[in-house]
Amino acid sequence: MAKPIGIFDSGLGGLTVARAIRGAFPAESLVYLGDTARVPYGTRSAGTVVKYAIGCAERLLSFDIKLLVVACNTASGVALGELQARLDIPVVGVIQPGARAGVKATRSGRIGILATAGTVASGAYERAIHSVNDAMSVFARPAPLFVPLAEEGWVTGDVPRLAAQRYLQPLADVDVDTIVLGCTHYPLLSETIHEVAAELLGHDVAIVDSAEATATTLTEMLDTSSNVSAQPGSLQILVTDLPAQFGSAASRFLGKPLQGLDIRAIDL
Ligand code: DGL
């Protein structure tokens, strides 16, 4: 049987990546781990996130995965090197693909990043963007409240708009033309982010979602001949807490009936 792809995030956000991978490679089987007992990662120290990331990766290895996708920017920012050194399968993060997509999208060379406090502190986006093009101006800002809003499904209306106004004003002040959603939870709020950013800037702005960019990166790594198979791959979901709550959010998000989801609680 073909080996699955392992994917992990602190919670629901990484499903944006799982959805993009599923769309691009429908025949691939996926095992998704949401570390819901320890979400959020973005407010914790780098050392703690590295420890959590190793725990998630080790559990996914027990499913004999062929490739690991770190579908969390915070973990990609602080733990990718450590995971790549420890594992003897390919390990892909979301920051480099998001950075490349940001550079491709900008016209003015002024790129805003919205991310967790941990990702902003790691400086990972600045490094990744400058490794592609060192003439870019990068402005990274934390937007921590977007994580609980996304987990809650509260993605439009007054409350997310107010949060977006507060978080986006500093990026509008420096006149970015592109905003990279540097947290896998944030694409759930992309409509609100896009609208508020355009209002504050007075012009349209490109919103880059690193989930899509990450799925594109996998094209270079997967043997896509297996994707000609008419059989769709399986999706197994593991969570470290509250499986029922996660399941209903995930089914809303993936557009699948809850009964159709294979979701299991685990301990790490
Ligand atoms: N989804 C995660 C990220 O991309 C983080 C959310 C959190 O746990 O703080 O950074």
Side-chain angles (χ1 to χ4, degrees):
M1 221 181 61
K3 295 181 176 190
I5 297 173
I7 304 174
F8 80 87
D9 179 41
S10 57
L12 197 64
L15 286 175
T16 56
V17 180
R19 185 170 63 178
I21 295 175
R22 244 183 138 49
F25 311 101
E28 296 291 341
S29 291
L30 311 180
V31 184
Y32 180 90
L33 168 53
D35 192 6
T36 45
R38 302 188 292 198
V39 67
Y41 281 10
T43 51
R44 299 184 200 279
S45 69
T48 297
V49 175
V50 171
K51 215 163 56 195
Y52 289 175
I54 292 171
C56 291
E58 280 174 351
R59 176 52 68 97
L60 286 169
L61 284 180
S62 72
F63 288 80
D64 197 23
I65 55 172
K66 61 180 172 190
L67 170 76
L68 177 67
V69 179
V70 182
C72 172
N73 287 264
T74 312
S76 297
V78 299
L80 192 66
E82 178 71 31
L83 294 174
Q84 285 169 332
R86 278 175 179 255
L87 273 51
D88 54 15
I89 54 169
V91 182
V92 178
V94 283
I95 291 187
Q96 197 69 37
R100 273 202 300 268
V103 170
K104 211 165 153 195
T106 185
R107 294 284 158 266
S108 67
R110 302 177 75 75
I111 303 176
I113 311 289
L114 286 178
T116 65
T119 301
V120 172
S122 76
Y125 267 100
E126 286 87 338
R127 282 195 299 281
I129 288 176
H130 288 144
S131 76
V132 180
N133 182 338
D134 63 9
M136 296 284 130
S137 301
V138 186
F139 307 91
R141 305 288 308 181
L145 285 181
F146 285 165
V147 174
L149 287 169
E151 291 275 328
E152 183 73 27
W154 198 351
V155 295
T156 54
D158 291 346
V159 172
R161 276 185 69 81
L162 278 173
Q165 279 160 1
R166 174 73 71 94
Y167 293 144
L168 287 162
Q169 188 62 57
L171 296 180
D173 291 344
V174 292
D175 199 25
V176 298
D177 76 342
T178 298
I179 295 173
V180 178
L181 303 181
C183 171
T184 52
H185 280 68
Y186 299 175
L188 295 163
L189 289 118
S190 63
E191 198 185 306
T192 298
I193 295 170
H194 194 181
E195 264 173 35
V196 172
E199 279 164 25
L200 294 175
L201 278 154
H203 57 75
D204 195 21
V205 57
I207 303 290
V208 173
D209 169 351
S210 58
E212 292 292 339
T214 304
T216 309
T217 306
L218 297 192
T219 314
E220 298 143 27
M221 321 185 73
L222 292 170
D223 171 12
T224 40
S225 56
S226 63
N227 282 294
V228 251
S229 142
Q231 199 66 347
S234 60
L235 170 64
Q236 187 170 351
I237 299 179
L238 313 169
V239 290
T240 50
D241 203 3
L242 298 171
Q245 198 169 313
F246 190 89
S248 51
S251 73
R252 216 177 35 235
F253 180 64
L254 295 169
K256 256 185 165 249
L258 192 48
Q259 311 84 283
L261 283 177
D262 174 2
I263 174 156
R264 188 164 16 124
I266 56 156
D267 266 329
L268 281 181

